[in-house]
Amino acid sequence: MPIQWVITGIRVRSFPFRVVNMKKINDPEALRSLMDQHRISGLFNMGTEAAMELYSFDKGENVCSVDDPIDHLFMLVKGKIKIYRVLPNGKSILIRFYNPLSTIGDLEMLNDLTARSTVESVNDTIFIGIHRQALEETAYQDPAFLRFVMKHLAYKLHTFSNASSLNLLYPVETRFASYLVSITMDDNDQAQIEEIKTGKLTEIAEMLGTSYRHLNRVISQFAEEGIVERTRGSLFVKDIQRLKQLANGNLYS
């Protein structure tokens, strides 16, 4: 049976500009396969599982933006997402990256808040989503589901301090190395060749809390050491192991 894609909504945001096409995937077999893959089949009660649906976002699309109302709790099951926050001065700062299996919207749902950060798809992503109404009617009465959410909230709290210290205490070399490692490792923690358009370096510098000039010096240093290669307006990761050494375990993930 072919996968059926249904566009369920389009949103436009002003900063950064994104057109969002959230697509619902009508494929029960794909849903079950992803649940099996991440070992959540049979974990929740039947009402909670019946409320689960598949959604996809394209690379570069926002899953949500700051102050968006949250109407789904999402579980990332394929791809990678980036979390960042826009500061009052208009600049943005990187919070972290998430790989599967990660939850989005749990804090907002439990506290009836709008989105506190912007969530962007680094590549094509797939989520299992549960609508707010279904959460209130079924999942919130499911002890296994509540334990699952609490576990992920505890992990976020535990790792958030690490991401915060990266932005405050570590030199740009460590932050940029950590950023490159975070975007280069795939879902299975395997290295993949990553290309970064140099036109995005101003945005990256801002997210890492530094200037374009300083980041450019770090890139030149990395290029001289053979860690990255700069060619034709693009930046390529060449030595992921050296980047891991420079990041020293301090990753945005």
Side-chain angles (χ1 to χ4, degrees), residues 58-95:
D58 293 336
K59 178 180 179 179
E61 286 186 336
N62 283 359
V63 179
C64 63
S65 299
V66 174
D67 291 331
D68 274 356
I70 301 297
D71 55 8
H72 285 79
L73 185 145
F74 283 124
M75 291 175 274
L76 176 67
V77 290
K78 185 175 179 60
K80 180 177 296 191
I81 54 177
K82 175 174 65 180
I83 317 294
Y84 63 93
R85 185 167 296 169
V86 180
L87 303 177
N89 61 7
K91 294 186 176 182
S92 56
I93 186 166
L94 179 64
I95 304 298

Side-chain angles (χ1 to χ4, degrees), residues 16-251:
F17 181 83
R18 294 286 189 274
V19 177
V20 179
N21 295 295
M22 182 174 75
K23 305 177 188 70
K24 181 179 176 182
I25 306 175
N26 292 318
D27 189 336
E29 291 184 5
L31 173 60
R32 178 57 59 184
S33 175
L34 287 165
M35 291 175 67
D36 290 343
Q37 178 183 336
H38 294 287
R39 300 179 180 179
I40 57 175
S41 292
L43 182 62
F44 312 123
N45 67 31
M46 293 179 62
T48 301
E49 288 199 1
M52 293 180 175
E53 298 176 306
L54 280 184
Y55 296 90
S56 72
F57 293 83
D58 293 336
K59 178 180 179 179
E61 286 186 336
N62 283 359
V63 179
C64 63
S65 299
V66 174
D67 291 331
D68 274 356
I70 301 297
D71 55 8
H72 285 79
L73 185 145
F74 283 124
M75 291 175 274
L76 176 67
V77 290
K78 185 175 179 60
K80 180 177 296 191
I81 54 177
K82 175 174 65 180
I83 317 294
Y84 63 93
R85 185 167 296 169
V86 180
L87 303 177
N89 61 7
K91 294 186 176 182
S92 56
I93 186 166
L94 179 64
I95 304 298
R96 63 181 304 119
F97 290 89
Y98 280 132
N99 293 306
L101 180 68
S102 302
T103 56
I104 298 297
D106 40 15
L107 179 64
E108 290 83 357
M109 284 286 192
L110 290 172
N111 293 279
D112 198 24
L113 301 171
T114 57
R116 313 308 296 168
S117 303
T118 295
V119 180
E120 179 185 327
S121 290
V122 175
N123 44 27
D124 293 345
T125 53
I126 296 178
F127 296 83
I128 293 175
I130 305 177
H131 193 272
R132 174 185 290 273
Q133 183 177 349
L135 282 171
E136 294 172 351
E137 294 176 353
T138 61
Y140 285 171
Q141 282 72 51
D142 182 351
F145 177 80
L146 293 177
R147 285 195 297 271
F148 174 83
V149 171
M150 288 173 60
K151 178 181 177 181
H152 281 267
L153 284 173
Y155 175 78
K156 290 178 183 179
L157 180 62
H158 175 70
T159 56
F160 180 77
S161 60
N162 187 51
S164 299
S165 63
L166 260 180
N167 285 321
L168 293 173
L169 303 175
Y170 285 89
V172 176
E173 290 82 358
T174 300
R175 280 178 269 165
F176 188 52
S178 180
Y179 175 87
L180 291 177
V181 171
S182 295
I183 66 170
T184 301
M185 305 307 291
D186 65 14
D187 296 355
N188 299 312
D189 205 30
Q190 298 295 314
Q192 56 186 358
I193 299 298
E194 184 68 28
E195 175 187 9
I196 300 174
K197 296 298 183 183
T198 53
K200 291 192 65 177
L201 293 182
T202 299
E203 177 185 335
I204 294 171
E206 184 178 287
M207 285 193 174
L208 297 180
T210 189
S211 66
Y212 172 82
R213 182 176 297 179
H214 193 165
L215 180 60
N216 205 36
R217 288 199 297 268
V218 171
I219 292 172
S220 296
Q221 174 190 330
F222 283 7
E224 289 176 4
E225 297 177 11
I227 300 171
V228 300
E229 180 182 340
R230 208 171 190 172
T231 178
R232 295 184 179 180
S234 297
L235 188 70
F236 294 89
V237 171
K238 304 296 289 184
D239 190 344
I240 189 67
Q241 295 304 320
R242 178 64 178 136
L243 284 174
K244 286 183 175 181
Q245 291 174 3
L246 290 168
N248 195 27
N250 298 297
L251 305 181

